[in-house]
Amino acid sequence: MTHILDQVSFGAIVQVRDRLLDQQAQGRKILRLESGDPSFDIPLHVREAMEKALRDGQTHYTASTGIPPLRKAIYQKVTSENRLSIPNDDHVVVTNGGMHGLYILFRSILEPGDEVILPDPMWTEIAENIRLGGGIPVPVKLQAGEGYQYLPEAIESAITSRTRAVFLNTPHNPTGAVLRKDSLEKIVSLAENHNVLLVSDEAYEHVIYDGVPHVSLGSLPEAGKRTISVFTMSKTYAMSGLRLGYLAIPDPRLLDRIKKLVRCTINGVNSVSQHGAAAALTGPQEATRLMAQEYQKRRDILFDALEEAPYLQAFKPAGAFYLWTKIQPDWPGYAGKTDDWSVTNYLIDKAGIGSAPGSAFGAAGEGHVRFAFSCSTAQVEEAAKLLPGILKSAGG
């Protein structure tokens, strides 16, 4: 007997991570460029708020959708900074990380056989969560020649009578592309014309470079009523292990469904984490700006190194903390193979450098490799020194 979970993988990045950690356990030095976990500690005022919550005994059940101070802080943030139009703080729901938010969101909007359009390549878990919600992922290929922009005309050509929603992620994982406002406006217009929902994943909203603006989809005219916005504390505040995200839901019927799913899945996020998140949103934001500056420094170091290296052509990202590279036709291969896994395996075996094979992100990712520069600057610098030489040695 088959089950829907039989269609879900354990993930290529997990396999790479496990190999690296196994080698580390054997005493080998490894460089963790395979996954997007911020290297920074959480801001001091966030830690202090969590410590105070522990001292004050704030360790009991909370309101399932989030403690009132946190929901109020989120409402203030999404209405003032993101310029979303939601009625009040009852329309924000605290989730157990952004991934949990995506899971309950797709469960709330999809019926079996409904289609969700998404960019390809894309973070693997998006398609997995669409399937778990009973839906069918419909990929739209992003083109290097277009700067990996999610083109409105390509999206519209993928719409059918079964299309329920269009999923967007800007800044984008894995390419780091940031969607332009004019593209977003056209996507809103086609969603209005075809009466489909918009799901806006803004996990990397503050990890953005070179003065490029981040535009929240739900802030655009006509977008608000059909857009569900997904956020996380993991990237902006380096709170990845504390597992806290949130949704902004304008539609009362969807809000009702999502509240029920929260009750039946987690019935409330870790109470101490919630107090930390409230402090993060209402306190000083300097740490967030400094993190983004350091990520940009790491981006430039790694990009410059790959410009000197053979076999990989890097795309310079405007946001997120990944470098997306295309394997060139002259790549000689490794262990009898020339695919993206051969590059990933070669870098692990020869230099202890982690990366993610592009095929992990969808069919359009085949023949690519993603490097994460969310690890420490020291690791990025060391990887940057090693990569040109180790890649040149692959040729002979």
Side-chain angles (χ1 to χ4, degrees):
M1 185 179 74
T2 61
H3 190 278
I4 191 170
L5 284 170
D6 297 332
Q7 303 174 38
V8 177
S9 70
F10 281 104
I13 299 172
V14 173
Q15 296 175 46
V16 173
R17 180 198 65 195
D18 289 350
R19 281 193 61 200
L20 287 165
L21 293 178
D22 182 60
Q23 292 192 15
Q24 186 180 51
Q26 297 175 42
R28 187 183 189 197
K29 185 174 185 178
I30 60 170
L31 301 172
R32 300 291 307 279
L33 277 70
E34 84 285 357
S35 61
D37 185 6
S39 62
F40 301 98
D41 292 332
I42 59 174
L44 179 61
H45 65 285
V46 175
R47 187 182 74 188
E48 290 173 343
M50 294 175 67
E51 290 170 348
K52 183 177 187 302
L54 281 169
R55 289 194 302 271
D56 293 348
Q58 302 287 351
T59 56
H60 301 278
Y61 289 136
T62 70
S64 62
T65 57
I67 59 173
L70 177 54
R71 292 206 313 272
K72 189 173 294 185
I74 293 170
Y75 175 73
Q76 179 63 30
K77 181 258 183 185
V78 298
T79 53
S80 61
E81 180 181 331
N82 300 102
R83 300 186 178 184
L84 304 184
S85 297
I86 56 173
N88 50 54
D89 60 21
D90 188 52
H91 283 253
V92 298
V93 173
V94 180
T95 62
N96 192 41
M99 196 188 306
H100 175 245
L102 289 162
Y103 173 76
I104 60 175
L105 169 54
F106 287 126
R107 288 282 292 171
S108 73
I109 66 174
L110 297 177
E111 297 286 350
D114 283 352
E115 296 174 352
V116 179
I117 296 170
L118 71 163
D120 183 11
M122 189 61 236
W123 182 50
T124 314
E125 280 74 1
I126 303 302
E128 308 280 35
N129 276 300
I130 291 168
R131 293 189 190 99
L132 289 173
I136 300 170
V138 177
V140 167
K141 186 176 181 179
L142 307 182
Q143 304 286 349
E146 299 286 351
Y148 296 106
Q149 287 290 306
Y150 198 20
L151 299 179
E153 54 269 30
I155 295 170
E156 189 157 30
S157 67
I159 293 177
T160 72
S161 60
R162 295 295 300 175
T163 303
R164 177 63 172 146
V166 175
F167 172 86
L168 301 89
N169 173 223
T170 182
H172 178 243
N173 176 12
T175 69
V178 175
L179 291 182
R180 300 186 298 262
K181 185 177 181 181
D182 62 322
S183 293
L184 293 174
E185 289 170 339
K186 290 175 183 177
I187 293 170
V188 171
S189 178
L190 71 85
E192 187 80 8
N193 292 339
H194 293 276
N195 192 29
V196 297
L197 294 173
L198 295 167
V199 177
S200 180
D201 180 350
E202 303 181 33
Y204 299 92
E205 60 176 329
H206 294 110
V207 186
I208 203 158
Y209 313 122
D210 306 319
V212 174
H214 169 70
V215 179
S216 289
L217 184 67
S219 68
L220 300 176
E222 305 304 322
K225 61 185 179 182
R226 65 178 64 254
T227 303
I228 307 100
S229 302
V230 186
F231 301 92
T232 177
M233 305 295 289
S234 296
K235 315 303 182 184
T236 299
Y237 299 101
M239 294 173 66
S240 52
L242 297 173
R243 310 311 304 138
L244 198 141
Y246 53 96
L247 302 175
I249 312 144
D251 183 87
R253 188 177 183 189
L254 287 182
L255 177 64
D256 184 64
R257 293 177 188 173
I258 284 170
K259 285 181 176 180
K260 293 172 183 175
L261 280 162
V262 168
R263 181 179 68 84
C264 292
T265 53
I266 60 168
N267 202 26
V269 171
N270 178 295
S271 58
V272 175
S273 292
Q274 291 193 62
H275 285 277
L281 291 169
T282 58
Q285 301 300 305
E286 182 62 18
T288 294
R289 290 187 285 272
L290 292 174
M291 282 187 237
Q293 290 175 15
E294 193 67 13
Y295 286 135
Q296 183 165 331
K297 173 184 173 182
R298 296 174 187 177
R299 177 202 66 172
D300 293 343
I301 291 169
L302 191 57
F303 182 82
D304 290 347
L306 287 168
E307 286 284 274
E308 297 177 11
Y311 310 129
L312 297 177
Q313 182 178 17
F315 172 74
K316 195 167 191 177
F321 35 58
Y322 308 106
L323 267 182
W324 184 245
T325 66
K326 182 174 176 59
I327 303 169
Q328 298 303 288
D330 58 346
W331 162 242
Y334 179 62
K337 297 183 178 181
T338 57
D339 61 359
D340 44 22
W341 270 105
S342 72
V343 176
T344 290
N345 288 331
Y346 176 79
L347 293 175
I348 293 173
D349 292 345
K350 300 299 181 181
I353 298 174
S355 65
S359 54
F361 303 94
E366 293 176 5
H368 296 76
V369 174
R370 189 198 76 174
F371 295 93
F373 49 89
S374 52
C375 56
S376 70
T377 301
Q379 288 199 47
V380 171
E381 289 174 336
E382 186 164 355
K385 290 177 183 177
L386 292 172
L387 279 166
I390 202 69
L391 284 166
K392 286 175 185 175
S393 67

